[in-house]
Amino acid sequence: MLKFTKGAYPANEIEPQIYERWESQHLFQPTDQSKDKIFSITMPPPNITGALHLGHALDLTLPDIICRYKRMNGYSVCWFPGTDQAGLATDNKVEAYLKKQGIRKEDIGREAFIEKVWEWKAVYGNKIVEQMKLLGTSADWSKLRFTKDEDYEKAVVKAFVTYYEQGLIYRGKRMVQYCPRCKTALSDIEVSHENVNGELVYIKYFLDHSKEFITIATTRVETMLGDTAIAVHPDDPRYTKYHGKYVVLPLVGRKIPIITDDYVEKEFGTGALKVTPCHDPNDFELGKKHHLDFITVIENGQRMNDNAGIYKDMLVKEAREAIKRDLEEKGFLLKVEPFSHSVGHCERCKHVLEPIISDQWYLRTKTLAEKGLKAVNQNDIQYIPSRWKKVYTDWMENILDWCISRQIWWGIRIPVWYCNACGEMIVSETPPKNCPECSSYDLRQEEDVLDTWFGSALWPFACMGWPNDSESLHKYYPTSLLVTAFDIIFFWVSRMIFSSLHFLNSIPFETVYFHGLVLDNQGKKMSKSSSNAVDPTSLIQEYGADALRYTVTTYTNSSGQDIRFDIKKNKASRNFINKIWNAGSYVLDNTQNISHKQPLEKEQSIWDDWIVYQFNETLSTVQSSIESYSFNEAAQSLYSFFWHDFCDWYIEISKTNPNPILLRKIFALSLQIIHPIAPFVTEALWLLMEENNETSIMYSPWPSPLNLSEERAAYNNLAVRKIQEIIRVIRNIKAEFHLAKPAGLSIGIKTDDEAFRSILERNYSTLSDVAKVEEVYYENTPSSSLIATIVDSTTTVFFPKDRIDIESEIENKKQRILKIEKELEKLELKRSNENFMKYASEDLVQEVQANYDECLLQKQSILQRITDLTKE
């Protein structure tokens, strides 16, 4: 049973109660009230590698806002949740976990290791789901899927076999990027290119039976043992005489040809290129084109093999140093220079990769990509922001065949078996009993597993039961929206699009909203190794889920810019949630036995009209902002309205000029439009309003604008804003002259606007109460005993000098002028400094000028005040 407690919002008490209520009442399940208004969405399934990070908080909050907004607008909403097996990432994580316990995966074997991963999943998969719930995620948990559960695995196997039977999957010996640490091949987009400080080694390659040599520069001297040619550009005059001749490979003594190819850049390096087909992707293509020998000298990126001769069994780094020494001793080494260059690293473990030639499984993607390109380019799928459409198009137009096999243990094994008796290869959705060719029972399954992204590419439809003809697919496919980070547009989004078009002849989603990445407040990527990672769970425990949700929302706009997360903003968001809670305390206490559903009274004050006008404007902004994915605009508009308009002004006005029905109605309506962003506090306060009969705010109808005459609203809105400005002026005067106590303080107002004077006269008591002065009156003939402060061209505020210690105030203001003049001198030095004005950034120059102008205005204002104080 919810109970209201005074003071700060007790998030740790309220939020678990609210979420348990939502779940027990099955409120996240679709209502199916309307076949015409269905909104469906799938969750980017987080990896089971540990805990959620702030990126997940964003990934979950934004679609949750949309889902809650859609429910309140009468849609039957179905949000499909899940977690991802994450292949290589999970394999690495569990391997490291076991290593800390003194267990090597190789010692326990494949089956035992996979059992350990399932044990890990039982702990961390469930932990992640619970963390998602902490955030308020309103997904239909009855539809929770795991990308390696039994039915999902069947879907992945079905896709593989179908592709294979259609000739789109093949096994081939090609060059791949191999991670020696993870011991697996990677696809091209799993390679992270990073600049490293290395060296450029210049080597003499002597022509056969000659003292002439060609200079070759290489960053990978250890691979020279596998060189099978030297390549030069056919039009490079330096090497024309060497066309068709041979050089002798240093240290090895093997003759290798000098070939010509347009691929070689004449201007780069010496213009001559060593060709090592087994250890460089470009050399691999040259080797095939010119029918060169393929000689592997490094085994799996770690040690030199038999072809390395005397360097056999050396680690690559050891061989590199040994080869340089031997080159120098034998007169082949010209020089060694420091050299910074880009090197491929494993996207997961950050280890340097080794290009190797290996048998791998590939998916032909060209024809698949053509369908995906057409769907996006003809706007069957809308991209927000639209700039990602070009990024997607560029990649899909140049897509390469996808290496889908991985040499790890955790994952979905490739459904291929080999007959040990006759060598037959069998591709099947179910394990074959015997060989269809020779009937032998001696079969072995392919050791490799599928790239985890192969299974993830099926997520939008496999999570709904494909390949079965499920009810969910009929109702909810294609989905309405995908919300995800832009950094997986290649890994995931593009592949989901072409997979769905291929298997279902349907787009997977109608719209994709790409949000930015969550960075630290210095703009650096968050990571545990950098000690700048922020745990969202700890933020929820300290500040509450609503505060974190509100914070990430304020950062997120329709342009999808990266987010610089600052904990200070989360504290400010917590203060906003407290404000909502404490406003609820005031409203509930002062509107007892009243329902927000009651009709409004016909006679309303200008303050009533004003708050209705402000609410209608805010409602319109929030609605349009959510629908255009400008989440930050919705959050900022709600903050401004609720904190400033409702709490700072209307609640204060209600203490002297009450309209309890409207007060309660505006509060209830505010809870409704805040709910998608801050669901817990709004649900709690909604349930504490007895007239709601304990029905969830989640299914309350999204508000419509309140009735208000536009003409009257416009005029009263201007009048209230003018009264507010008068109150601000009075408050500033009191602060300036230290007049905190209202007793005996009378403030006069003079205006040339007769209609506004009439409004003022009806609001004198409200003015005096809110401005905290004893009296507000109309000043018709101001005298020198009064000090004037202009509000606008028609209105002036007057206050008495006799309440002021004039000598003390004049002295204080003179001291203030001295400080301003010193600041002006500093700023003038910069403004008159030619070097500063020439070389400083435009923003800095503008800032200095703005500060200078502001100081001048302050000085002029204070001088005027001194003049007013000294008048007789």
Side-chain angles (χ1 to χ4, degrees):
M1 184 69 180
L2 282 173
K3 292 182 180 180
F4 193 89
T5 56
K6 302 286 185 179
Y9 169 59
N12 291 334
E13 296 175 22
I14 296 290
E15 292 178 354
Q17 290 183 63
I18 293 296
Y19 202 89
E20 192 280 328
R21 182 187 182 89
W22 287 333
E23 280 204 287
S24 65
Q25 294 182 4
H26 310 293
L27 297 182
F28 301 151
Q29 295 181 12
T31 56
D32 291 337
Q33 292 174 346
S34 170
K35 292 182 180 179
D36 298 325
K37 296 185 74 174
I38 288 176
F39 180 83
S40 60
I41 185 170
T42 59
M43 177 187 294
N47 297 349
I48 58 164
T49 50
L52 296 184
H53 53 67
L54 277 178
H56 292 119
L58 190 62
D59 258 344
L60 295 166
T61 297
L62 301 183
D64 193 64
I65 290 170
I66 299 286
C67 285
R68 291 177 183 275
Y69 173 76
K70 291 291 184 180
R71 287 190 190 99
M72 296 175 77
N73 278 278
Y75 283 79
S76 176
V77 174
C78 194
W79 187 2
F80 292 82
T83 54
D84 187 27
Q85 55 124 335
L88 179 57
T90 303
D91 195 287
N92 284 348
K93 197 80 174 181
V94 177
E95 181 183 7
Y97 169 74
L98 293 175
K99 191 174 181 180
K100 289 180 181 178
Q101 302 176 45
I103 301 171
R104 294 176 68 250
K105 62 186 287 190
E106 293 81 6
D107 293 339
I108 62 175
R110 183 174 194 146
E111 295 306 316
F113 177 75
I114 290 173
E115 282 300 315
K116 292 291 185 184
V117 182
W118 279 112
E119 291 172 11
W120 173 277
K121 188 264 177 187
V123 174
Y124 288 97
N126 293 337
K127 180 181 177 182
I128 284 169
V129 170
E130 291 307 309
Q131 288 177 333
M132 290 193 279
K133 291 179 178 181
L134 280 179
L135 198 62
T137 306
S138 62
D140 182 357
W141 297 108
S142 68
K143 295 180 172 61
L144 178 66
R145 297 297 302 273
F146 176 53
T147 58
K148 197 177 161 19
D149 65 38
E150 184 178 354
D151 287 338
Y152 201 96
E153 187 158 346
K154 286 179 182 177
V156 175
V157 168
K158 173 74 174 178
F160 180 94
V161 173
T162 303
Y163 275 139
Y164 180 81
E165 290 173 348
Q166 294 170 343
L168 292 173
I169 283 181
Y170 64 95
R171 191 167 189 259
K173 192 179 284 291
R174 290 177 51 179
M175 177 153 285
V176 295
Q177 295 288 352
Y178 183 85
C179 178
R181 158 63 187 81
C182 299
K183 298 178 182 177
T184 182
L186 303 175
S187 67
D188 293 331
I189 59 174
E190 291 173 296
V191 179
S192 171
H193 291 279
E194 300 173 17
N195 279 330
V196 298
N197 293 322
E199 53 187 23
L200 203 55
V201 180
Y202 291 81
I203 308 167
K204 301 175 185 176
Y205 281 62
F206 285 91
L207 274 80
D208 188 27
H209 301 296
S210 172
K211 292 184 179 181
E212 289 187 82
F213 62 84
I214 294 175
T215 302
I216 299 293
T218 179
T219 59
R220 302 198 62 209
V221 68
E222 66 277 5
T223 64
M224 64 166 289
L225 305 176
D227 290 356
T228 55
I230 294 293
V232 297
H233 195 280
D235 299 331
D236 190 335
R238 293 173 294 177
Y239 301 111
T240 304
K241 63 181 180 179
Y242 300 135
H243 292 183
K245 295 187 177 182
Y246 289 81
V247 296
V248 178
L249 185 61
L251 303 183
V252 177
R254 184 175 66 249
K255 288 200 303 182
I256 58 176
I258 300 170
I259 62 173
T260 62
D261 199 285
D262 291 338
Y263 165 76
V264 181
E265 296 179 36
K266 291 184 287 184
E267 296 78 17
F268 184 78
T270 64
L273 182 77
K274 66 189 277 301
V275 183
T276 320
C278 286
H279 294 286
D280 182 271
N282 298 314
D283 293 3
F284 176 77
E285 297 301 326
L286 283 173
K288 288 196 299 180
K289 181 179 179 181
H290 293 276
H291 307 290
L292 301 176
D293 291 335
F294 283 69
I295 301 173
T296 301
V297 294
I298 302 171
E299 205 65 45
N300 292 333
Q302 292 181 309
R303 290 185 181 274
M304 310 303 287
N305 66 10
D306 290 345
N307 293 326
I310 62 171
Y311 308 103
K312 177 186 174 184
D313 293 333
M314 285 187 184
L315 292 171
V316 169
K317 287 184 179 180
E318 295 172 345
R320 184 178 302 148
E321 297 306 314
I323 290 169
K324 281 193 297 181
R325 285 195 303 270
D326 290 347
L327 287 170
E328 186 173 20
E329 286 178 8
K330 297 182 179 182
F332 294 114
L333 185 66
L334 272 173
K335 61 179 178 178
V336 178
E337 294 179 343
F339 186 69
S340 177
H341 59 121
S342 179
V343 175
H345 288 69
C346 176
E347 192 264 342
R348 286 293 176 190
C349 74
K350 309 306 178 188
H351 197 285
V352 174
L353 299 177
E354 177 67 38
I356 66 169
I357 296 173
S358 172
D359 279 320
Q360 301 289 338
W361 290 90
Y362 292 89
L363 175 65
R364 302 183 201 274
T365 53
K366 199 69 179 174
T367 56
L368 297 171
E370 287 170 0
K371 291 182 181 179
L373 273 168
K374 184 179 178 182
V376 172
N377 287 334
Q378 66 187 19
N379 294 320
D380 294 337
I381 301 172
Q382 184 182 10
Y383 271 21
I384 300 171
S386 59
R387 69 177 182 275
W388 293 114
K389 185 175 175 179
K390 184 179 186 307
V391 175
Y392 167 88
T393 300
D394 289 347
W395 188 73
M396 292 286 267
E397 286 177 345
N398 297 285
I399 197 168
L400 301 173
D401 284 358
W402 176 9
C403 177
I404 58 173
S405 48
R406 298 291 180 271
Q407 292 71 55
I408 56 175
W409 288 348
W410 173 250
I412 296 174
R413 282 181 79 171
I414 292 176
V416 172
W417 286 261
Y418 304 98
C419 176
N420 291 326
C422 71
E424 178 70 10
M425 185 178 78
I426 307 140
V427 179
S428 172
E429 290 182 44
T430 56
K433 292 182 179 179
N434 61 348
C435 175
E437 286 297 313
C438 70
S439 300
S440 171
Y441 291 92
D442 188 11
L443 307 178
R444 59 184 171 83
Q445 187 175 357
E446 170 67 63
E447 294 290 323
D448 289 357
V449 301
L450 287 163
D451 177 8
T452 190
W453 293 105
F454 183 91
S456 296
L458 314 178
W459 175 248
F461 49 95
C463 76
M464 295 189 194
W466 184 88
N468 297 325
D469 189 25
S470 70
E471 183 182 359
S472 288
L473 281 169
H474 281 285
K475 278 188 179 180
Y476 305 117
Y477 204 81
T479 59
S480 311
L481 175 69
L482 172 70
V483 176
T484 188
F486 68 82
D487 61 334
I488 52 176
I489 189 170
F490 308 136
F491 285 110
W492 195 42
V493 178
S494 59
R495 290 164 173 174
M496 285 191 288
I497 292 172
F498 71 58
S499 298
S500 179
L501 288 166
H502 185 75
F503 290 112
L504 280 79
N505 196 30
S506 166
I507 57 171
F509 24 72
E510 295 165 356
T511 301
V512 187
Y513 170 69
F514 294 102
H515 61 72
L517 303 180
V518 182
L519 312 174
D520 69 10
N521 61 359
Q522 300 299 313
K524 296 177 182 176
K525 188 174 181 180
M526 288 188 178
S527 66
K528 289 181 180 177
S529 60
S530 300
S531 301
N532 64 349
V534 178
D535 176 15
T537 306
S538 64
L539 288 179
I540 291 171
Q541 290 170 347
E542 186 171 358
Y543 300 104
D546 282 338
L548 178 57
R549 289 171 63 104
Y550 188 82
T551 300
V552 298
T553 304
T554 60
Y555 281 118
T556 310
N557 57 33
S558 59
S559 64
Q561 297 299 316
D562 286 344
I563 292 168
R564 291 192 176 195
F565 187 86
D566 191 338
I567 194 71
K568 292 177 183 176
K569 204 160 188 176
N570 206 64
K571 292 175 182 177
S573 297
R574 185 265 317 274
N575 294 341
F576 180 52
I577 304 303
N578 282 340
K579 192 76 169 179
I580 298 170
W581 183 252
N582 290 321
S585 173
Y586 175 82
V587 172
L588 294 177
D589 284 348
N590 289 275
T591 59
Q592 293 178 12
N593 302 317
I594 292 173
S595 168
H596 68 83
K597 300 173 184 178
Q598 288 177 230
L600 295 172
E601 296 175 356
K602 291 183 180 180
E603 290 298 321
Q604 293 189 164
S605 71
I606 61 165
W607 293 97
D608 295 335
D609 283 354
W610 171 76
I611 198 65
V612 169
Y613 178 86
Q614 294 302 111
F615 171 78
N616 287 348
E617 290 291 298
T618 303
L619 172 66
S620 175
T621 300
V622 171
Q623 188 164 319
S624 62
S625 297
I626 291 176
E627 290 177 355
S628 64
Y629 308 98
S630 300
F631 299 100
N632 62 324
E633 291 180 16
Q636 289 160 7
S637 178
L638 288 167
Y639 183 96
S640 177
F641 169 75
F642 194 85
W643 191 302
H644 299 303
D645 296 339
F646 184 69
C647 293
D648 287 354
W649 287 105
Y650 194 68
I651 282 182
E652 288 304 307
I653 297 301
S654 73
K655 294 173 183 177
T656 57
N657 190 8
N659 182 342
I661 296 176
L662 183 59
L663 178 67
R664 194 173 181 96
K665 184 179 287 290
I666 293 294
F667 179 70
L669 293 170
S670 299
L671 293 180
Q672 288 178 285
I673 62 175
I674 295 170
H675 174 74
I677 298 176
F680 289 107
V681 68
T682 51
E683 179 76 286
L685 289 167
W686 183 262
L687 294 173
L688 287 167
M689 300 176 80
E690 295 177 357
E691 67 267 33
N692 292 321
N693 298 316
E694 298 193 355
T695 57
S696 174
I697 193 173
M698 197 189 311
Y699 285 97
S700 65
W702 184 257
S704 298
L706 294 172
N707 289 330
L708 188 64
S709 160
E710 287 188 20
E711 184 179 349
R712 193 179 81 175
Y715 182 79
N716 285 346
N717 186 54
L718 289 173
V720 166
R721 291 203 177 280
K722 196 164 180 177
I723 293 173
Q724 288 173 328
E725 188 57 35
I726 289 171
I727 292 171
R728 289 189 190 98
V729 167
I730 294 171
R731 287 171 174 171
N732 290 340
I733 291 168
K734 289 172 63 184
E736 180 184 353
F737 296 111
H738 315 292
L739 303 172
K741 295 179 181 179
L745 182 59
S746 296
I747 299 294
I749 301 174
K750 183 178 186 301
T751 181
D752 298 333
D753 184 337
E754 288 301 320
F756 181 60
R757 176 179 174 176
S758 176
I759 291 173
L760 273 178
E761 288 172 348
R762 295 196 301 272
N763 284 272
Y764 278 160
S765 62
T766 300
L767 261 170
S768 59
D769 287 338
V770 176
K772 291 184 171 53
V773 296
E774 186 168 297
E775 180 189 19
V776 174
Y777 66 94
Y778 185 73
E779 178 60 62
N780 200 18
T781 54
S783 67
S784 59
S785 65
L786 300 173
I787 295 179
T789 298
I790 295 171
V791 176
D792 62 19
S793 60
T794 65
T795 306
T796 306
V797 170
F798 300 90
F799 61 100
K801 289 182 183 179
D802 59 11
R803 295 297 303 275
I804 302 169
D805 183 344
I806 292 177
E807 289 185 8
S808 175
E809 287 297 336
I810 289 174
E811 182 58 31
N812 288 339
K813 293 183 187 309
K814 286 180 178 179
Q815 292 299 317
R816 175 67 182 141
I817 287 173
L818 289 174
K819 290 181 180 179
I820 291 173
E821 286 175 340
K822 286 182 180 179
E823 183 63 24
L824 283 168
E825 287 176 10
K826 291 179 184 177
L827 293 168
E828 181 56 33
L829 283 174
K830 289 184 177 180
R831 292 172 72 242
S832 60
N833 185 316
E834 291 183 7
N835 287 332
F836 173 80
M837 298 300 287
K838 184 177 180 180
Y839 296 111
S841 68
E842 185 178 346
D843 287 346
L844 185 55
V845 170
Q846 288 177 356
E847 182 184 341
V848 168
Q849 184 60 49
N851 290 341
Y852 185 84
D853 294 342
E854 177 62 25
C855 285
L856 279 179
L857 284 173
Q858 288 181 20
K859 181 181 176 181
Q860 290 166 5
S861 176
I862 295 170
L863 286 170
Q864 180 59 51
R865 187 64 89 198
I866 291 173
T867 300
D868 293 342
L869 288 170
T870 54
K871 280 181 181 178
E872 292 296 332

